[in-house]
């Protein structure tokens, strides 16, 4: 195919051979069939997150090593990531000057908008300075909760960038800094948002049970807070949605249903049917439906996901930003691929690339579905090849 960036399946084959393992032994120890592993390595089936997690455990590597680096050759983002890493490391020693309250509000909103629109490179360009500026302002504020809340929110943006750009070590460090900032706010909502990202680091590593433990602890603590209103609903509901992903990837159907039931109950209390955003967490009926659809894919019921997708694609939920819509289309592509609707999978991937191009090009499952379609069509479709070139999967 002229691939310029190794896929997860190709990386699995290389790592397996380096360990001296046969396909049969790796498949047996990872709990999958030999036929399935063979198809993953040759590009006929996508390497799903639970499979990557199982294989990584057997090979004694991280899931990030299996997925590989989606970027080919020297790139501006790698220099910027190193700058961000240095800023995060010296989190109590900002070199930047404080911003005024009005400047802080505007800059943090700009970062939030870039995150929601999946403009990760543009966001990365502003994050090191913004982290330093908001931290300097918070340190000068003598414990003012709002100032520290802005710091926590900027760290949340930084986590998204590190996660999406395949930097798990940086994501771990950022989450610890976000927790530190959230604890300065004395705001349970800020701590819940940080816990949502903390569980995300376990999700990325394929440690789903540990991630569920983080979520369940955060839910218990947050439920004990004597508060009410939409902001509380957003944070509690979002924790349950993270629980849906973790439980479904752990193949725990009962826990998945339980978190979904709680999420839907909370979503129905929000007015106007629109999803709301607070501390970069999106919650409402629309996002809950998206998580339910994704859970069907993870629990090996792609037909149910396809059935759900019709109304969601025909009339996307109000209030959802490109980052959520892009993920919807990628999950629909996964489901359609699983039911052998290859034209539909391509159509959904095209929609993801249109609404959230930077995310679609680097999202592991977006790349896996695209790779399978390319292999099956043997590069015969120009549209697929164009997408593959943008994603660095073909030269």
């Amino acid at each position: 195919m002229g691939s310029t960036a190794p896929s997860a399946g190709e990386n699995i084959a290389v790592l397996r051979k380096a360990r001296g393992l046969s396909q049969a032994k790796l498949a047996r120890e990872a709990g999958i069939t030999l036929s399935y592993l063979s198809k993953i390595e040759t590009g006929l089936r996508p390497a799903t997150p639970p499979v990557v997690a199982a294989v990584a455990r057997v090979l004694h590597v991280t899931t990030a090593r299996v997925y590989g680096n989606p970027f080919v050759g020297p790139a501006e983002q790698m220099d910027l990531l190193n700058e961000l890493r240095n800023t995060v490391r010296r989190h109590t020693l900002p070199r930047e000057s404080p911003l005024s309250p009005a400047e802080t509000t505007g800059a943090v909103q700009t970062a939030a908008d870039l995150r929601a629109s999946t403009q990760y490179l543009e966001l990365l360009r502003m994050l090191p300075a913004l982290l330093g500026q908001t931290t300097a302002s918070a340190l000068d504020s003598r414990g003012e909760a709002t100032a520290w809340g802005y710091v926590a929110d900027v760290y949340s943006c930084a986590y998204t960038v590190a996660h999406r750009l395949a930097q798990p070590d940086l994501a771990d460090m950022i989450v610890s800094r976000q927790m530190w900032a959230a604890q300065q706010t004395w705001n349970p909502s800020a701590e819940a948002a940080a816990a949502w990202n903390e569980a995300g680091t376990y999700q990325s590593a394929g440690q789903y049970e540990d991630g569920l433990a983080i979520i369940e602890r955060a839910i218990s603590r947050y439920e004990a807070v004597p508060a009410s209103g939409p902001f509380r609903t957003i944070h509690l509901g979002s924790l349950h949605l993270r629980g849906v992903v973790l439980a479904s990837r752990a193949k725990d159907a009962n826990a998945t249903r339980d978190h979904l039931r709680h999420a839907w109950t909370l979503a129905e209390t929000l007015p106007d049917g629109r999803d709301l955003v607070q501390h970069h967490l999106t919650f409402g009926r629309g996002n809950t439906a998206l998580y339910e659809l994704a859970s069907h894919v993870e629990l090996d019921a792609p037909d149910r996901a396809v059935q759900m997708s019709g109304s969601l694609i025909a009339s996307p939920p109000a209030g959802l930003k490109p980052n959520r819509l892009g993920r919807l289309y990628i999950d629909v592509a996964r489901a359609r691929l699983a039911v052998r609707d290859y034209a539909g999978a391509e159509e959904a991937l095209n929609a993801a690339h249109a609404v959230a191009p930077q995310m679609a090009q680097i999202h592991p499952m977006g790349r896996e579905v695209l790779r399978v379609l390319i292999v099956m069509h043997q590069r015969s479709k120009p549209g697929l090849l164009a997408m593959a070139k943008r994603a660095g999967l073909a030269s």
Side-chain angles (χ1 to χ4, degrees), residues 47-64:
T48 65
V51 168
V52 168
V55 167
R57 281 194 293 272
V58 176
L59 295 174
H60 303 288
V61 297
T62 64
T63 55

Side-chain angles (χ1 to χ4, degrees), residues 115 189 192-197 199-200 203 211-212 215-216 218-219 222 230-246 259-260 262-264 266-267 270 275-285 287-288 291 324:
R115 175 187 178 275
S189 293
W196 192 87
N197 281 339
Q203 178 181 311
L212 278 169
I215 286 297
E216 288 162 5
I219 289 172
Y222 200 56
F231 289 165
R232 183 179 188 275
T233 300
I234 292 168
H235 289 84
L236 191 55
S238 293
L239 290 172
H240 280 295
L241 291 184
R242 178 69 88 183
V244 169
V245 178
L246 290 159
H259 281 294
L260 267 175
H262 284 292
W264 274 116
L266 289 163
L270 292 175
D275 286 62
L276 303 177
V277 179
Q278 177 72 6
H279 290 306
H280 306 303
L281 299 179
T282 302
F283 184 70
R285 296 177 183 87
N287 210 26
T288 301
Y291 274 78
R324 296 308 308 143

Side-chain angles (χ1 to χ4, degrees), residues 86-392:
N86 289 334
T87 301
V88 173
R89 183 178 295 114
R90 60 171 198 274
H91 64 295
T92 61
L93 300 170
R95 295 174 180 171
E96 292 76 11
S97 299
L99 297 173
S100 70
E103 289 172 329
T104 300
T105 301
V108 173
Q109 184 59 55
T110 297
D113 292 342
L114 290 172
R115 175 187 178 275
S117 61
T118 74
Q119 297 183 64
Y120 301 129
L121 185 56
E122 294 84 347
L123 176 57
L124 184 54
R125 290 187 182 116
M126 72 177 296
L127 275 173
L130 183 58
L131 268 178
Q133 290 164 337
T134 53
T135 303
S137 299
L139 291 171
D140 278 1
S141 74
R142 300 183 183 276
E144 205 274 315
T146 300
W148 282 107
Y150 282 133
V151 177
D153 283 348
V154 177
Y155 272 117
S156 184
C157 288
Y159 167 78
T160 297
V161 168
H163 168 62
R164 288 296 176 209
L165 300 188
Q167 303 293 313
D169 60 324
L170 178 57
D172 286 344
M173 187 163 56
I174 286 170
V175 165
S176 70
R177 302 296 192 253
Q178 185 184 0
M179 291 295 295
W180 162 75
Q183 288 165 1
Q184 314 305 312
T185 69
W186 298 96
N187 182 345
S189 293
E191 293 193 30
W196 192 87
N197 281 339
E198 182 183 9
T201 65
Y202 288 94
Q203 178 181 311
S204 299
Q207 298 168 347
Y208 306 128
E209 290 81 4
D210 289 341
L212 278 169
I214 296 293
I215 286 297
E216 288 162 5
R217 183 176 66 192
I219 289 172
S220 179
R221 288 179 177 176
Y222 200 56
E223 286 181 332
V225 175
S228 60
F231 289 165
R232 183 179 188 275
T233 300
I234 292 168
H235 289 84
L236 191 55
S238 293
L239 290 172
H240 280 295
L241 291 184
R242 178 69 88 183
V244 169
V245 178
L246 290 159
S248 62
R249 290 190 180 180
K251 307 300 182 184
D252 188 335
N254 290 331
T256 301
R257 283 193 295 269
D258 188 55
H259 281 294
L260 267 175
R261 177 173 57 83
H262 284 292
W264 274 116
T265 299
L266 289 163
E268 293 297 336
T269 68
L270 292 175
D272 303 327
R274 292 182 65 86
D275 286 62
L276 303 177
V277 179
Q278 177 72 6
H279 290 306
H280 306 303
L281 299 179
T282 302
F283 184 70
R285 296 177 183 87
N287 210 26
T288 301
L290 266 58
Y291 274 78
E292 181 177 346
L293 182 150
S295 74
H296 291 320
V297 179
E298 300 295 357
L299 290 171
D300 304 317
D303 53 330
R304 295 185 64 184
V306 170
Q307 185 178 19
M308 277 192 71
S309 71
S311 59
L312 288 171
I313 290 179
S315 181
L320 292 187
K321 303 293 185 181
N323 61 328
R324 296 308 308 143
L325 293 175
R327 183 56 195 268
L328 165 65
Y329 293 128
I330 289 172
D331 285 329
V332 170
R334 288 183 63 189
R336 289 176 175 175
L337 178 67
V339 299
R340 295 185 171 83
D341 178 7
Y342 305 126
E346 181 182 353
E347 179 184 51
L349 273 188
N350 269 317
H353 277 256
V355 73
Q358 289 191 26
M359 183 177 79
Q361 290 167 22
I362 62 178
H363 192 285
M365 286 314 304
R367 293 167 64 83
E368 283 295 294
V369 172
L370 178 56
R371 181 174 67 100
V372 172
L373 292 175
I374 283 286
V375 170
M376 295 185 67
H377 286 285
Q378 297 296 312
R379 296 180 63 174
S380 62
K381 303 189 73 174
L384 279 175
L385 186 57
M387 273 195 287
K389 288 180 177 178
R390 290 196 299 272

